[in-house]
Amino acid sequence: MKTVSLALRNLTRNKRRNAILAIAIAFGFFVVTAIDGLTTGMVGNMENQIAQLVGGNVIVQGLEWEKPATPEGKVKLVNIVRDRDYVKNIVEELGIKYEYSTSYTMSSGQVIFNGKRSTIQLYGRDLQEKQLQASFMFTSGGVDPNLKNGLIISDKIAESLNLQVGDEVIYSTFTVYGQNNFADMVIMGIIKSNSFISNLQAYADIDDVNEIVEMPEGGYSMYSIYLNDKNQQTKAANAIEARIRQDSEKNPEINVTSRLLAMKTHPTNIGKGIEKQVDPKKPENEWKGVKYGVETLYDEIPQIKTVLNIVHIITTIILIVILMIVMVGVSNTYRMVLYERIREIGTMRALGMTGKDTRRVFTNEAVILCVIGAVAGLIFAAIVMAIVHCIPINNDALSFFLQKGHFSFKVSVVSVILQYIILIVLTTFAVRGSAKQAARMSPAEALRTIK
């Protein structure tokens, strides 16, 4: 504690030099923290938008094998889960922690208005869900639970077809069995889109969509789970699959795909491996009843996790490069400090300070200075990130990486701790030479030195 106290006192002696060195360290930490927070936030926003698009972090869908009506016909896969509570009950039974879960029916088709057409991806959802409503940014209209076949579209679709709230449109699509179907729908809301993909998204009540696509009453296409911890995706998916497999051993009408087999056949793309297990072109895949497929967001789009890992590696490399440059300054500074304090070191050694304590004073002084600079850089980065987050961005090219039209920053506590460890290690090495030289210095020789 005495060496730490002495190091703190020494920092106040040459304030200008120490301040310049601390500012350099603070700037380095500011740059690294801001870059890490921005890139991680952008990738996270992209992941959230894709999760919203595909339905969540963990997705469960049901498929039925429909044989052809004629010998020349082709096998069809019908995307139906008839029991709306089956998967939900399994999730609750397993105690999986999630932010929210939902069942929905998905339909692709075209909106027709005044002779113009536009393709949309229609999601039949419970429009009363708080999380879903929180994601909407209405430019006009809203959710009307009493409106039959009410449709929510993006502002881009509305602009291309010159649509307004209250306009009646024709929706052209296919039923779950593949037949063409048409439905009259009414525009009840227009939401602001923030990416090319969300431009095509449209929403309607799940019961209305089920009726349009002739989904059995109470059925749906997919069940999605938004987990509290995204890193638990694989664990949750494996648990759900194992629980469904238990039921399949008792009931031949229940089947499930194998994630383990998918990992063996397609280790870099598990989603592709699961698709192969339900390929209708392979007669050996035939099953009775419903076959559940359990996938994660990373199974479908494994590149997301790769991008996140690359971002952290790059920012760590940038940090090390910046710190190496700063450490050159630290090393040179403490060579000067050693020269300035030769007689002082001799006096302390003569009064009984050991060489080990002398080395500790130098090392502690440098580490404390660097930590102060790093903390200042972190605080400055937090202030700048908060200011930038409040600035609205209206750029379609960046919209996929934004959160409701704003940059968002995400700083990992683990990354910050790792950066501080790297800082302390590099600082220790930077002053090691000067500290050793001070520790080996003879008191008598130091007192006789004339600066």
Side-chain angles (χ1 to χ4, degrees), residues 177-188:
Y177 297 101
Q179 290 86 24
N180 287 325
N181 199 13
F182 296 87
D184 294 325
M185 305 192 76
V186 180
I187 304 299
M188 68 174 173

Side-chain angles (χ1 to χ4, degrees), residues 151-338:
L151 181 64
I152 299 174
I153 60 174
S154 71
D155 55 349
K156 300 296 183 182
I157 297 295
E159 183 180 346
S160 65
L161 298 181
N162 196 24
L163 286 169
Q164 296 180 350
V165 172
D167 288 339
E168 294 185 5
V169 299
I170 297 174
Y171 177 55
S172 172
T173 187
F174 295 92
T175 68
V176 291
Y177 297 101
Q179 290 86 24
N180 287 325
N181 199 13
F182 296 87
D184 294 325
M185 305 192 76
V186 180
I187 304 299
M188 68 174 173
I190 298 174
I191 56 176
K192 183 175 180 57
S193 60
N194 52 12
S195 71
F196 171 75
I197 294 178
S198 63
N199 291 347
L200 305 178
Q201 289 179 275
Y203 298 87
D205 185 81
I206 185 171
D207 293 330
D208 293 338
V209 177
N210 281 353
E211 185 178 336
I212 294 170
V213 301
E214 298 182 3
M215 177 73 71
E217 185 177 355
Y220 59 91
S221 301
M222 296 184 181
Y223 185 85
S224 64
I225 309 165
Y226 294 78
L227 299 176
N228 289 336
D229 185 358
K230 298 175 184 178
N231 295 321
Q232 298 297 314
Q233 293 181 36
T234 301
K235 182 179 179 181
N238 289 339
I240 294 171
E241 182 187 287
R243 180 62 183 79
I244 296 175
R245 185 166 286 109
Q246 290 180 9
D247 290 342
S248 68
E249 294 172 355
K250 303 173 186 177
N251 187 349
E253 296 293 319
I254 296 178
N255 304 272
V256 67
T257 55
S258 172
R259 292 176 51 79
L260 181 60
L261 178 60
M263 282 187 273
K264 291 180 179 178
T265 57
H266 295 76
T268 59
N269 194 330
I270 299 174
K272 190 70 174 177
I274 292 176
E275 288 179 13
K276 292 291 184 182
Q277 296 175 30
V278 295
D279 188 351
K281 296 179 182 178
K282 298 181 178 180
E284 63 270 20
N285 286 340
E286 183 178 354
W287 64 84
K288 293 182 180 179
V290 61
K291 190 167 200 174
Y292 291 95
V294 186
E295 299 178 77
T296 70
L297 180 62
Y298 293 152
D299 292 342
E300 286 291 325
I301 312 174
Q303 294 83 358
I304 291 179
K305 202 167 186 178
T306 303
V307 170
L308 282 171
N309 292 334
I310 291 173
V311 165
H312 290 307
I313 291 172
I314 291 175
T315 52
T316 302
I317 292 173
I318 293 173
L319 171 69
I320 292 174
V321 171
I322 292 176
L323 288 182
M324 289 294 289
I325 296 172
V326 172
M327 288 307 118
V328 172
V330 171
S331 179
N332 291 333
T333 298
Y334 275 87
R335 286 178 184 174
M336 294 172 57
V337 169
L338 175 64

Side-chain angles (χ1 to χ4, degrees), residues 100 104 131 173 319 339:
Y100 73 98
Y104 64 94
Q131 293 83 357
T173 187
L319 171 69
Y339 175 73

